[in-house]
Amino acid sequence: MKRWWPYPLLTAALVAMWLLLTESVALGSILMGGILATVALWGFAALDPPGGRLKRPRAAVALAALVMADVARSNLAVAKIILNPRKTERVSGFLRIPLDMRAPYGLATLACIITGTPGTIWVEYNSANNTILLHILDLVDEKTWIDTIKGRYEKRLMEIFE
């Protein structure tokens, strides 16, 4: 049974999402949703994802709230920069930040947080020296950015994933 449906709950969730998106519970929609979900999850199972659990779910919820607040704040800051083009003291640039974290899911989550926050983009990860390269729209103070990434995000992600 595991060979045909490696993730039965996820299969059911994908079928339910398909039915919601198609706005139909006709037999054809159910069959098509089931086929698509099964094939998609066969592909996912072929990737052989490692099992894992969150070590501190409360920390994950707190981090999610923090990220949502930071994204909202960053949206306002980027809007001010775009809507007020006369200010020329804004300097964008690249910044390399050394990391202590090595957990792959933690790094992936950090990449999503940084890239999902307006004004910053994760450009590169160098696994040899464990550094990331970021492009920042408003690079005023490098030390502040390093402290923000390491203290605000990396520390919490290490709590969750390591």
PDB file of all heavy atoms in Angstrom, residues 18-45:
ATOM      1  N   TRP A  18      -7.587  20.170  -4.966  1.00  0.00           N
ATOM      2  CA  TRP A  18      -7.985  20.105  -6.377  1.00  0.00           C
ATOM      3  C   TRP A  18      -9.489  20.342  -6.520  1.00  0.00           C
ATOM      4  O   TRP A  18      -9.928  21.096  -7.392  1.00  0.00           O
ATOM      5  CB  TRP A  18      -7.591  18.755  -6.972  1.00  0.00           C
ATOM      6  CG  TRP A  18      -8.043  18.574  -8.381  1.00  0.00           C
ATOM      7  CD1 TRP A  18      -9.155  17.916  -8.806  1.00  0.00           C
ATOM      8  CD2 TRP A  18      -7.417  19.097  -9.547  1.00  0.00           C
ATOM      9  NE1 TRP A  18      -9.256  17.972 -10.161  1.00  0.00           N
ATOM     10  CE2 TRP A  18      -8.193  18.700 -10.655  1.00  0.00           C
ATOM     11  CE3 TRP A  18      -6.266  19.852  -9.772  1.00  0.00           C
ATOM     12  CZ2 TRP A  18      -7.855  19.059 -11.951  1.00  0.00           C
ATOM     13  CZ3 TRP A  18      -5.943  20.185 -11.076  1.00  0.00           C
ATOM     14  CH2 TRP A  18      -6.731  19.790 -12.138  1.00  0.00           C
ATOM     15  N   LEU A  19     -10.268  19.707  -5.661  1.00  0.00           N
ATOM     16  CA  LEU A  19     -11.721  19.875  -5.725  1.00  0.00           C
ATOM     17  C   LEU A  19     -12.133  21.310  -5.408  1.00  0.00           C
ATOM     18  O   LEU A  19     -13.072  21.844  -6.011  1.00  0.00           O
ATOM     19  CB  LEU A  19     -12.407  18.892  -4.785  1.00  0.00           C
ATOM     20  CG  LEU A  19     -12.232  17.404  -5.154  1.00  0.00           C
ATOM     21  CD1 LEU A  19     -12.859  16.525  -4.076  1.00  0.00           C
ATOM     22  CD2 LEU A  19     -12.813  17.114  -6.523  1.00  0.00           C
ATOM     23  N   LEU A  20     -11.434  21.932  -4.478  1.00  0.00           N
ATOM     24  CA  LEU A  20     -11.735  23.335  -4.174  1.00  0.00           C
ATOM     25  C   LEU A  20     -11.373  24.239  -5.347  1.00  0.00           C
ATOM     26  O   LEU A  20     -12.114  25.177  -5.673  1.00  0.00           O
ATOM     27  CB  LEU A  20     -10.983  23.784  -2.921  1.00  0.00           C
ATOM     28  CG  LEU A  20     -11.521  23.248  -1.601  1.00  0.00           C
ATOM     29  CD1 LEU A  20     -10.560  23.587  -0.461  1.00  0.00           C
ATOM     30  CD2 LEU A  20     -12.902  23.831  -1.317  1.00  0.00           C
ATOM     31  N   LEU A  21     -10.244  23.983  -5.973  1.00  0.00           N
ATOM     32  CA  LEU A  21      -9.822  24.817  -7.099  1.00  0.00           C
ATOM     33  C   LEU A  21     -10.718  24.653  -8.316  1.00  0.00           C
ATOM     34  O   LEU A  21     -10.979  25.616  -9.046  1.00  0.00           O
ATOM     35  CB  LEU A  21      -8.369  24.505  -7.471  1.00  0.00           C
ATOM     36  CG  LEU A  21      -7.319  24.981  -6.471  1.00  0.00           C
ATOM     37  CD1 LEU A  21      -5.951  24.436  -6.840  1.00  0.00           C
ATOM     38  CD2 LEU A  21      -7.293  26.501  -6.413  1.00  0.00           C
ATOM     39  N   THR A  22     -11.187  23.427  -8.552  1.00  0.00           N
ATOM     40  CA  THR A  22     -12.061  23.195  -9.706  1.00  0.00           C
ATOM     41  C   THR A  22     -13.513  23.514  -9.389  1.00  0.00           C
ATOM     42  O   THR A  22     -14.340  23.553 -10.300  1.00  0.00           O
ATOM     43  CB  THR A  22     -11.967  21.737 -10.195  1.00  0.00           C
ATOM     44  OG1 THR A  22     -12.351  20.854  -9.155  1.00  0.00           O
ATOM     45  CG2 THR A  22     -10.557  21.419 -10.682  1.00  0.00           C
ATOM     46  N   GLU A  23     -13.821  23.706  -8.128  1.00  0.00           N
ATOM     47  CA  GLU A  23     -15.185  24.006  -7.682  1.00  0.00           C
ATOM     48  C   GLU A  23     -16.173  22.949  -8.151  1.00  0.00           C
ATOM     49  O   GLU A  23     -17.278  23.254  -8.598  1.00  0.00           O
ATOM     50  CB  GLU A  23     -15.623  25.389  -8.149  1.00  0.00           C
ATOM     51  CG  GLU A  23     -14.804  26.514  -7.559  1.00  0.00           C
ATOM     52  CD  GLU A  23     -15.242  27.884  -8.037  1.00  0.00           C
ATOM     53  OE1 GLU A  23     -16.201  27.983  -8.842  1.00  0.00           O
ATOM     54  OE2 GLU A  23     -14.631  28.861  -7.610  1.00  0.00           O
ATOM     55  N   SER A  24     -15.737  21.698  -8.063  1.00  0.00           N
ATOM     56  CA  SER A  24     -16.587  20.606  -8.521  1.00  0.00           C
ATOM     57  C   SER A  24     -16.282  19.356  -7.714  1.00  0.00           C
ATOM     58  O   SER A  24     -15.143  19.077  -7.373  1.00  0.00           O
ATOM     59  CB  SER A  24     -16.321  20.331 -10.006  1.00  0.00           C
ATOM     60  OG  SER A  24     -16.974  19.165 -10.402  1.00  0.00           O
ATOM     61  N   VAL A  25     -17.339  18.590  -7.416  1.00  0.00           N
ATOM     62  CA  VAL A  25     -17.163  17.292  -6.764  1.00  0.00           C
ATOM     63  C   VAL A  25     -17.688  16.174  -7.674  1.00  0.00           C
ATOM     64  O   VAL A  25     -18.082  15.120  -7.211  1.00  0.00           O
ATOM     65  CB  VAL A  25     -17.865  17.230  -5.382  1.00  0.00           C
ATOM     66  CG1 VAL A  25     -17.139  18.078  -4.376  1.00  0.00           C
ATOM     67  CG2 VAL A  25     -19.325  17.621  -5.489  1.00  0.00           C
ATOM     68  N   ALA A  26     -17.630  16.447  -8.970  1.00  0.00           N
ATOM     69  CA  ALA A  26     -18.044  15.433  -9.944  1.00  0.00           C
ATOM     70  C   ALA A  26     -17.035  14.287  -9.918  1.00  0.00           C
ATOM     71  O   ALA A  26     -15.879  14.449  -9.532  1.00  0.00           O
ATOM     72  CB  ALA A  26     -18.116  16.048 -11.339  1.00  0.00           C
ATOM     73  N   LEU A  27     -17.480  13.126 -10.338  1.00  0.00           N
ATOM     74  CA  LEU A  27     -16.626  11.941 -10.337  1.00  0.00           C
ATOM     75  C   LEU A  27     -15.347  12.176 -11.145  1.00  0.00           C
ATOM     76  O   LEU A  27     -14.254  11.780 -10.732  1.00  0.00           O
ATOM     77  CB  LEU A  27     -17.396  10.733 -10.889  1.00  0.00           C
ATOM     78  CG  LEU A  27     -16.621   9.414 -10.908  1.00  0.00           C
ATOM     79  CD1 LEU A  27     -16.196   9.016  -9.508  1.00  0.00           C
ATOM     80  CD2 LEU A  27     -17.450   8.328 -11.557  1.00  0.00           C
ATOM     81  N   GLY A  28     -15.454  12.849 -12.268  1.00  0.00           N
ATOM     82  CA  GLY A  28     -14.287  13.141 -13.103  1.00  0.00           C
ATOM     83  C   GLY A  28     -13.269  14.008 -12.368  1.00  0.00           C
ATOM     84  O   GLY A  28     -12.059  13.786 -12.471  1.00  0.00           O
ATOM     85  N   SER A  29     -13.748  14.995 -11.625  1.00  0.00           N
ATOM     86  CA  SER A  29     -12.855  15.858 -10.861  1.00  0.00           C
ATOM     87  C   SER A  29     -12.163  15.093  -9.745  1.00  0.00           C
ATOM     88  O   SER A  29     -10.967  15.283  -9.493  1.00  0.00           O
ATOM     89  CB  SER A  29     -13.625  17.038 -10.256  1.00  0.00           C
ATOM     90  OG  SER A  29     -14.043  17.917 -11.259  1.00  0.00           O
ATOM     91  N   ILE A  30     -12.903  14.216  -9.083  1.00  0.00           N
ATOM     92  CA  ILE A  30     -12.324  13.413  -8.011  1.00  0.00           C
ATOM     93  C   ILE A  30     -11.258  12.478  -8.574  1.00  0.00           C
ATOM     94  O   ILE A  30     -10.150  12.365  -8.017  1.00  0.00           O
ATOM     95  CB  ILE A  30     -13.417  12.620  -7.260  1.00  0.00           C
ATOM     96  CG1 ILE A  30     -14.355  13.595  -6.538  1.00  0.00           C
ATOM     97  CG2 ILE A  30     -12.800  11.637  -6.284  1.00  0.00           C
ATOM     98  CD1 ILE A  30     -15.595  12.957  -5.965  1.00  0.00           C
ATOM     99  N   LEU A  31     -11.571  11.818  -9.705  1.00  0.00           N
ATOM    100  CA  LEU A  31     -10.593  10.915 -10.331  1.00  0.00           C
ATOM    101  C   LEU A  31      -9.349  11.674 -10.803  1.00  0.00           C
ATOM    102  O   LEU A  31      -8.221  11.227 -10.585  1.00  0.00           O
ATOM    103  CB  LEU A  31     -11.222  10.161 -11.495  1.00  0.00           C
ATOM    104  CG  LEU A  31     -12.240   9.080 -11.115  1.00  0.00           C
ATOM    105  CD1 LEU A  31     -12.904   8.519 -12.368  1.00  0.00           C
ATOM    106  CD2 LEU A  31     -11.561   7.979 -10.320  1.00  0.00           C
ATOM    107  N   MET A  32      -9.551  12.803 -11.458  1.00  0.00           N
ATOM    108  CA  MET A  32      -8.412  13.586 -11.941  1.00  0.00           C
ATOM    109  C   MET A  32      -7.566  14.081 -10.770  1.00  0.00           C
ATOM    110  O   MET A  32      -6.333  14.013 -10.810  1.00  0.00           O
ATOM    111  CB  MET A  32      -8.886  14.769 -12.776  1.00  0.00           C
ATOM    112  CG  MET A  32      -7.745  15.606 -13.297  1.00  0.00           C
ATOM    113  SD  MET A  32      -6.623  14.691 -14.358  1.00  0.00           S
ATOM    114  CE  MET A  32      -7.315  15.026 -15.915  1.00  0.00           C
ATOM    115  N   GLY A  33      -8.202  14.553  -9.711  1.00  0.00           N
ATOM    116  CA  GLY A  33      -7.470  14.988  -8.521  1.00  0.00           C
ATOM    117  C   GLY A  33      -6.685  13.848  -7.897  1.00  0.00           C
ATOM    118  O   GLY A  33      -5.528  14.020  -7.487  1.00  0.00           O
ATOM    119  N   GLY A  34      -7.295  12.681  -7.826  1.00  0.00           N
ATOM    120  CA  GLY A  34      -6.611  11.515  -7.270  1.00  0.00           C
ATOM    121  C   GLY A  34      -5.409  11.097  -8.092  1.00  0.00           C
ATOM    122  O   GLY A  34      -4.344  10.777  -7.557  1.00  0.00           O
ATOM    123  N   ILE A  35      -5.581  11.122  -9.407  1.00  0.00           N
ATOM    124  CA  ILE A  35      -4.472  10.744 -10.297  1.00  0.00           C
ATOM    125  C   ILE A  35      -3.330  11.758 -10.184  1.00  0.00           C
ATOM    126  O   ILE A  35      -2.161  11.382 -10.025  1.00  0.00           O
ATOM    127  CB  ILE A  35      -4.962  10.621 -11.756  1.00  0.00           C
ATOM    128  CG1 ILE A  35      -5.878   9.405 -11.893  1.00  0.00           C
ATOM    129  CG2 ILE A  35      -3.799  10.534 -12.733  1.00  0.00           C
ATOM    130  CD1 ILE A  35      -6.647   9.352 -13.205  1.00  0.00           C
ATOM    131  N   LEU A  36      -3.666  13.035 -10.241  1.00  0.00           N
ATOM    132  CA  LEU A  36      -2.630  14.069 -10.141  1.00  0.00           C
ATOM    133  C   LEU A  36      -1.910  14.022  -8.799  1.00  0.00           C
ATOM    134  O   LEU A  36      -0.678  14.134  -8.737  1.00  0.00           O
ATOM    135  CB  LEU A  36      -3.234  15.449 -10.365  1.00  0.00           C
ATOM    136  CG  LEU A  36      -3.667  15.771 -11.788  1.00  0.00           C
ATOM    137  CD1 LEU A  36      -4.381  17.112 -11.845  1.00  0.00           C
ATOM    138  CD2 LEU A  36      -2.469  15.772 -12.721  1.00  0.00           C
ATOM    139  N   ALA A  37      -2.660  13.868  -7.717  1.00  0.00           N
ATOM    140  CA  ALA A  37      -2.041  13.807  -6.390  1.00  0.00           C
ATOM    141  C   ALA A  37      -1.136  12.592  -6.260  1.00  0.00           C
ATOM    142  O   ALA A  37      -0.023  12.687  -5.725  1.00  0.00           O
ATOM    143  CB  ALA A  37      -3.126  13.790  -5.312  1.00  0.00           C
ATOM    144  N   THR A  38      -1.592  11.457  -6.755  1.00  0.00           N
ATOM    145  CA  THR A  38      -0.795  10.229  -6.659  1.00  0.00           C
ATOM    146  C   THR A  38       0.502  10.361  -7.456  1.00  0.00           C
ATOM    147  O   THR A  38       1.584  10.040  -6.955  1.00  0.00           O
ATOM    148  CB  THR A  38      -1.615   9.025  -7.152  1.00  0.00           C
ATOM    149  OG1 THR A  38      -2.802   8.915  -6.359  1.00  0.00           O
ATOM    150  CG2 THR A  38      -0.812   7.745  -7.046  1.00  0.00           C
ATOM    151  N   VAL A  39       0.414  10.857  -8.676  1.00  0.00           N
ATOM    152  CA  VAL A  39       1.612  11.008  -9.511  1.00  0.00           C
ATOM    153  C   VAL A  39       2.571  12.030  -8.897  1.00  0.00           C
ATOM    154  O   VAL A  39       3.785  11.809  -8.854  1.00  0.00           O
ATOM    155  CB  VAL A  39       1.225  11.382 -10.951  1.00  0.00           C
ATOM    156  CG1 VAL A  39       2.438  11.786 -11.772  1.00  0.00           C
ATOM    157  CG2 VAL A  39       0.485  10.238 -11.615  1.00  0.00           C
ATOM    158  N   ALA A  40       2.039  13.135  -8.408  1.00  0.00           N
ATOM    159  CA  ALA A  40       2.891  14.150  -7.784  1.00  0.00           C
ATOM    160  C   ALA A  40       3.608  13.587  -6.562  1.00  0.00           C
ATOM    161  O   ALA A  40       4.804  13.836  -6.357  1.00  0.00           O
ATOM    162  CB  ALA A  40       2.051  15.361  -7.395  1.00  0.00           C
ATOM    163  N   LEU A  41       2.919  12.808  -5.770  1.00  0.00           N
ATOM    164  CA  LEU A  41       3.539  12.261  -4.562  1.00  0.00           C
ATOM    165  C   LEU A  41       4.476  11.100  -4.867  1.00  0.00           C
ATOM    166  O   LEU A  41       5.398  10.838  -4.095  1.00  0.00           O
ATOM    167  CB  LEU A  41       2.471  11.889  -3.543  1.00  0.00           C
ATOM    168  CG  LEU A  41       1.772  13.130  -2.968  1.00  0.00           C
ATOM    169  CD1 LEU A  41       0.633  12.740  -2.063  1.00  0.00           C
ATOM    170  CD2 LEU A  41       2.747  14.025  -2.249  1.00  0.00           C
ATOM    171  N   TRP A  42       4.285  10.423  -5.975  1.00  0.00           N
ATOM    172  CA  TRP A  42       5.291   9.434  -6.411  1.00  0.00           C
ATOM    173  C   TRP A  42       6.597  10.165  -6.726  1.00  0.00           C
ATOM    174  O   TRP A  42       7.677   9.716  -6.377  1.00  0.00           O
ATOM    175  CB  TRP A  42       4.834   8.679  -7.645  1.00  0.00           C
ATOM    176  CG  TRP A  42       3.811   7.612  -7.398  1.00  0.00           C
ATOM    177  CD1 TRP A  42       3.459   7.061  -6.200  1.00  0.00           C
ATOM    178  CD2 TRP A  42       3.007   6.983  -8.392  1.00  0.00           C
ATOM    179  NE1 TRP A  42       2.472   6.127  -6.388  1.00  0.00           N
ATOM    180  CE2 TRP A  42       2.180   6.055  -7.733  1.00  0.00           C
ATOM    181  CE3 TRP A  42       2.901   7.118  -9.759  1.00  0.00           C
ATOM    182  CZ2 TRP A  42       1.273   5.261  -8.396  1.00  0.00           C
ATOM    183  CZ3 TRP A  42       1.989   6.322 -10.431  1.00  0.00           C
ATOM    184  CH2 TRP A  42       1.183   5.408  -9.749  1.00  0.00           C
ATOM    185  N   GLY A  43       6.475  11.292  -7.412  1.00  0.00           N
ATOM    186  CA  GLY A  43       7.662  12.094  -7.707  1.00  0.00           C
ATOM    187  C   GLY A  43       8.330  12.605  -6.448  1.00  0.00           C
ATOM    188  O   GLY A  43       9.554  12.600  -6.323  1.00  0.00           O
ATOM    189  N   PHE A  44       7.533  13.031  -5.490  1.00  0.00           N
ATOM    190  CA  PHE A  44       8.073  13.506  -4.219  1.00  0.00           C
ATOM    191  C   PHE A  44       8.764  12.370  -3.472  1.00  0.00           C
ATOM    192  O   PHE A  44       9.856  12.546  -2.928  1.00  0.00           O
ATOM    193  CB  PHE A  44       6.946  14.102  -3.373  1.00  0.00           C
ATOM    194  CG  PHE A  44       7.406  14.635  -2.048  1.00  0.00           C
ATOM    195  CD1 PHE A  44       8.212  15.757  -1.979  1.00  0.00           C
ATOM    196  CD2 PHE A  44       7.037  14.009  -0.876  1.00  0.00           C
ATOM    197  CE1 PHE A  44       8.637  16.247  -0.752  1.00  0.00           C
ATOM    198  CE2 PHE A  44       7.452  14.487   0.352  1.00  0.00           C
ATOM    199  CZ  PHE A  44       8.256  15.611   0.412  1.00  0.00           C
ATOM    200  N   ALA A  45       8.154  11.191  -3.467  1.00  0.00           N
ATOM    201  CA  ALA A  45       8.747  10.044  -2.778  1.00  0.00           C
ATOM    202  C   ALA A  45      10.048   9.607  -3.449  1.00  0.00           C
ATOM    203  O   ALA A  45      10.968   9.131  -2.778  1.00  0.00           O
ATOM    204  CB  ALA A  45       7.767   8.882  -2.728  1.00  0.00           C
TER     205      ALA A  45
END
